[in-house]
């Protein structure tokens, strides 16, 4: 059975005290009988990572980073390496988020290097892909996502690919309040699974977790997650409120 995941991307939000409150609120209210195939991942800003892994210790909550360097170590002022995250027992890292692509000019090639370095250090990658609005309007959305996946992931061998989670996040849906329809999400997720099957075979495609992200909230989560190829969500704004995030978790 493939894993289902609800991951919260806090982006650049929260003070230390707010982060502590939110982390404890999530951990304290997580259903202790959460089915074994469902994972909850919280991705706070890097400065709160040690706090987050401490709070998450012995709980059902896993912790993820939001970004890492493509370099292993060395003179890269301000950067955070995969091995640093690993040393704090961080399980996941979001890689290739559209905000990184847009504001930090991350290319598919660079994102691919980050995925490689994450996996090498035992960090599972939550790899983000998705088209811009004008690309969808021009009916180019499948081609764009195909290129993003091929250029950033398909250098991986089969064993490494097993540690990749894909998040389909149409850029026009991120932070806009306009989510993809369940049909649009399912159609793209099925397409992504077919791409994976073509490269790694049906068995790997079948166990790959593919998340939907983009204005997912407690109102629309159930309908989105009901699709056969939607294995959970990457949640931005709605993950900043414990009640709302827990409702989304309970929608899966
Ligand atoms: C995101 O940033 O990954 C995201 C999905 O944001 P939001 O849920 O706020 O649209």
């Amino acid at each position: 059975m493939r894993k289902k995941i609800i991951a919260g991307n806090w982006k650049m939000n929260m003070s230390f005290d707010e982060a502590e409150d939110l982390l404890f609120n999530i951990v304290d209210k997580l259903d202790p009988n959460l089915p074994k195939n469902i994972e909850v991942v919280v991705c706070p800003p890097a400065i709160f990572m040690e706090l987050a892994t401490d709070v998450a210790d012995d709980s059902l909550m896993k912790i993820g980073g939001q970004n890492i360097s493509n370099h292993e170590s060395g003179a890269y002022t301000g950067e955070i390496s995969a091995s640093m995250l690993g040393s704090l027992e961080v399980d996941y890292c979001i890689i290739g988020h559209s905000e990184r692509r847009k504001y930090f000019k991350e290319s598919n090639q660079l994102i691919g290097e980050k995925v490689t370095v994450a996996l090498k250090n035992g960090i599972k990658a939550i790899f983000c892909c998705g088209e811009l609005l004008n690309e969808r309007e021009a009916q180019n959305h499948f081609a764009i996502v195909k290129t993003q996946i091929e250029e950033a992931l398909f250098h991986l061998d089969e064993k490494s690919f097993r540690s990749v989670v894909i998040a389909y996040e149409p850029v026009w849906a991120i932070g806009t309040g306009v989510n993809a329809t369940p049909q649009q999400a399912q159609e793209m997720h099925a397409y992504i699974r077919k791409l994976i099957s073509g490269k790694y075979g049906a068995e790997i495609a079948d166990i790959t977790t593919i998340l939907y992200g983009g204005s997912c909230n407690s109102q629309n989560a159930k309908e989105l997650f009901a699709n056969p190829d939607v294995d959970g969500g990457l949640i931005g704004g709605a993950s900043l409120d414990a009640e709302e995030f827990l409702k989304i978790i309970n929608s899966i």
Side-chain angles (χ1 to χ4, degrees):
M1 197 192 295
R2 69 176 164 258
K3 209 187 280 177
K4 297 190 179 228
I5 297 176
I6 303 294
N9 174 13
W10 290 8
K11 311 194 189 196
M12 198 174 71
N13 291 297
M14 297 281 151
S15 66
F16 183 89
D17 288 349
E18 289 166 344
E20 191 173 36
D21 271 3
L22 182 51
L23 289 163
F24 274 116
N25 268 322
I26 296 167
V27 163
D28 289 348
K29 292 184 189 135
L30 264 183
D31 178 359
N33 299 316
L34 203 65
K36 289 256 175 300
N37 68 320
I38 300 181
E39 246 176 32
V40 174
V41 183
V42 171
C43 304
I47 195 164
F48 304 139
M49 212 50 82
E50 189 181 356
L51 165 71
T53 50
D54 280 352
V55 176
D57 198 28
D58 276 339
S59 83
L60 293 172
M61 179 172 76
K62 307 250 183 246
I63 300 300
Q66 297 178 9
N67 176 43
I68 45 160
S69 170
N70 57 323
H71 299 287
E72 291 273 1
S73 65
Y76 300 101
T77 302
E79 290 290 270
I80 290 169
S81 72
S83 67
M84 290 173 189
L85 289 189
S87 69
L88 287 178
E89 301 194 354
V90 169
D91 290 290
Y92 287 92
C93 188
I94 298 171
I95 299 181
H97 191 280
S98 66
E99 288 151 16
R100 302 284 324 167
R101 292 176 188 264
K102 179 177 177 189
Y103 301 121
F104 303 94
K105 308 285 175 249
E106 293 195 2
S107 64
N108 290 332
Q109 146 117 38
L110 178 79
I111 292 164
E113 288 170 19
K114 291 185 176 198
V115 170
T116 302
V117 84
L119 301 180
K120 192 173 159 205
N121 286 278
I123 308 282
K124 296 181 200 107
I126 302 178
F127 166 80
C128 301
C129 56
E131 79 285 356
L132 302 170
L133 182 60
N134 66 310
E135 292 165 342
R136 179 164 277 267
E137 286 171 345
Q139 301 296 315
N140 275 339
H141 44 297
F142 292 116
I144 293 292
V145 168
K146 179 172 190 271
T147 303
Q148 289 173 338
I149 290 177
E150 283 178 350
E151 292 187 0
L153 294 182
F154 279 4
H155 63 286
L156 297 172
D157 61 24
E158 185 190 302
K159 184 166 174 280
S160 304
F161 191 82
R162 286 173 184 262
S163 297
V164 173
V165 170
I166 295 188
Y168 169 57
E169 300 208 300
V171 181
W172 47 269
I174 297 181
T176 59
V178 181
N179 58 287
T181 64
Q183 293 74 17
Q184 287 171 324
Q186 169 56 27
E187 188 183 41
M188 182 59 87
H189 285 222
Y191 174 75
I192 292 171
R193 207 175 298 286
K194 209 164 123 214
L195 275 181
I196 298 167
S197 180
K199 171 76 180 170
Y200 296 103
E203 191 220 320
I204 300 286
D206 195 48
I207 59 163
T208 302
T209 301
I210 307 177
L211 310 180
Y212 167 76
S215 296
C216 184
N217 56 39
S218 62
Q219 305 295 310
N220 57 31
K222 216 178 183 70
E223 233 195 316
L224 284 159
F225 301 163
N227 289 286
D229 289 293
V230 179
D231 308 315
L234 179 54
I235 318 296
S239 71
L240 297 174
D241 179 276
E243 297 295 322
E244 177 72 3
F245 190 53
L246 288 156
K247 278 190 201 159
I248 296 172
I249 295 165
N250 293 330
S251 305
I252 197 153

